[in-house]
Structure formats: C-alpha cells, structure tokens
C-alpha cells in the first residue's frame, strides 16, 4: 500500500464498564479484530478498559507512543454519564477529522435513529489516526468496512507521504 506503511498497524480499545468487570462478554473486540484482519490490517492489541477518562487517555497515549497507525475505540460515545470516550479522544488528538465522524454517523443513521445521540470523534495524534466507534458490534464492523478505503488513504498521508 505504502512505502512508509506497508501494513497498517492498529489497536482496538473497548470502553465498557460492564465488559471490564466481566458482567458482559466483549464481542465487539474480537469481531473488530476479525474484520480488520480480513481487510488487511495488522491488529497489535485489543484491550478492554472501564469508562474512566484517565484510563482511556493513558491507553490511547501509550499506543500513540508505540507508533500505531490506527486506534479504534468502541463504546462510550453516547450521552450517558459514564460515556467519556470522545472527551478522552479530544485530550489526545492534535487535529480533529470531522468528516470521518460525519461519515460514520450518516451510515449509522441509515440503520437506527438512535445514532443521532453519537458524540464520536476522529482525529490525529502524532502519526496515529484515532476513531471512535459505537459500542454496537454490528455497527462498529459496518463503519470500519465503510471507512476502510479512507483509512488506507489517510495513513500514508498522516505519515507525510505525498499521494498523487
């Protein structure tokens, strides 16, 4: 795909109190991993964390420091009092990419009217692209499949490559 980034490396962060406490099985992490690998990404890590702002920020920063090309978060993007993933993302990114969030929202609105409650963000931290996805397993997979061409186009550009 690219001289600087022949394979897009990514990590997946599941933000869910219930999954973190073991009260609910995380199905989204494994499903996203399978989807991303099928699309040709190298999945470095999948972690489940509680809906805690500082915990999410610290994990995002660690993966940025490790040089991940892409970080996908799932969960914590709604309007509940513990939904803090967008706030954590804003603390880490340097430049927002509203078009990615908008595209994800438009796709989600075709499936459910509840998508209007999404506060998901997308942006760049260093050379890492971070995207918030909904906690819905199916929704997260559909958005990744939809955004795949844009993600693979964006990563080399973020790394400073000139795309003709």
């Amino acid at each position: 795909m690219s001289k600087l980034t022949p394979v897009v490396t990514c990590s997946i962060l599941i933000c869910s109190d219930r999954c973190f406490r073991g009260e609910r099985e995380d199905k989204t992490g494994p499903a996203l991993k399978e989807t991303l690998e099928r699309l040709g990404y190298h999945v470095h890590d999948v972690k489940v964390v509680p809906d805690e702002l500082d915990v999410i920020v610290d994990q995002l920063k660690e993966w940025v420091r490790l040089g991940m090309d892409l970080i996908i978060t799932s969960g914590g993007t709604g309007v509940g009092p513990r939904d803090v993933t967008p706030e954590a993302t804003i603390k880490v990114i340097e430049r927002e990419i509203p078009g990615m969030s908008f595209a994800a929202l438009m796709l989600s609105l075709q499936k459910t009217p509840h998508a209007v409650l999404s506060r998901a963000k997308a942006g760049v931290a260093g050379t890492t692209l971070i995207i918030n996805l909904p906690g819905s397993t199916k929704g997260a997979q559909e958005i990744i499949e939809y955004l795949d061409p844009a993600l693979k186009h964006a990563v080399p550009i973020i790394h400073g490559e000139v795309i003709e």
Side-chain angles (χ1 to χ4, degrees):
M1 171 183 33
S2 156
K3 288 177 253 156
L4 292 177
T5 314
V7 174
V8 177
T9 60
C10 63
S11 290
I12 301 165
L13 189 63
I14 305 302
C15 305
S16 167
D17 287 333
R18 289 185 291 167
C19 289
F20 182 75
R21 290 190 303 255
E23 296 169 8
R24 185 176 78 195
E25 178 187 359
D26 168 37
K27 295 181 180 178
T28 305
L32 279 172
K33 182 177 191 283
E34 183 278 324
T35 300
L36 287 160
E37 287 176 343
R38 178 174 43 80
L39 294 170
Y41 296 81
H42 169 72
V43 178
H44 169 78
D45 202 357
V46 179
K47 286 198 174 169
V48 177
V49 296
D51 292 303
E52 295 286 343
L53 184 72
D54 293 339
V55 173
I56 297 167
V57 167
D58 289 347
Q59 186 58 63
L60 293 175
K61 285 183 176 178
E62 174 64 13
W63 283 337
V64 169
R65 187 189 65 73
L66 288 175
M68 289 297 107
D69 295 315
L70 175 64
I71 299 171
I72 303 294
T73 72
S74 176
T77 60
V79 295
R82 302 264 312 151
D83 290 334
V84 296
T85 305
E87 287 76 15
T89 301
I90 290 296
K91 285 183 175 276
V92 176
I93 62 174
E94 297 145 8
R95 295 177 289 155
E96 194 169 346
I97 308 174
M100 285 204 169
S101 301
F102 181 74
L105 177 60
M106 293 305 294
L107 179 68
S108 296
L109 283 169
Q110 294 174 19
K111 311 289 181 175
T112 175
H114 299 300
V116 298
L117 301 175
S118 175
R119 300 179 312 108
K121 300 291 182 191
V124 178
T127 58
T128 302
L129 176 56
I130 301 174
I131 301 172
N132 300 156
L133 299 180
S136 157
T137 301
K138 185 176 179 191
Q141 286 178 291
E142 289 172 348
I143 291 168
I144 282 299
E145 289 174 348
Y146 181 74
L147 292 178
D148 176 52
L151 298 175
K152 288 177 178 166
H153 182 73
V155 166
I157 295 171
I158 291 167
H159 280 269
E161 282 191 41
V162 176
I163 304 296
E164 298 299 324

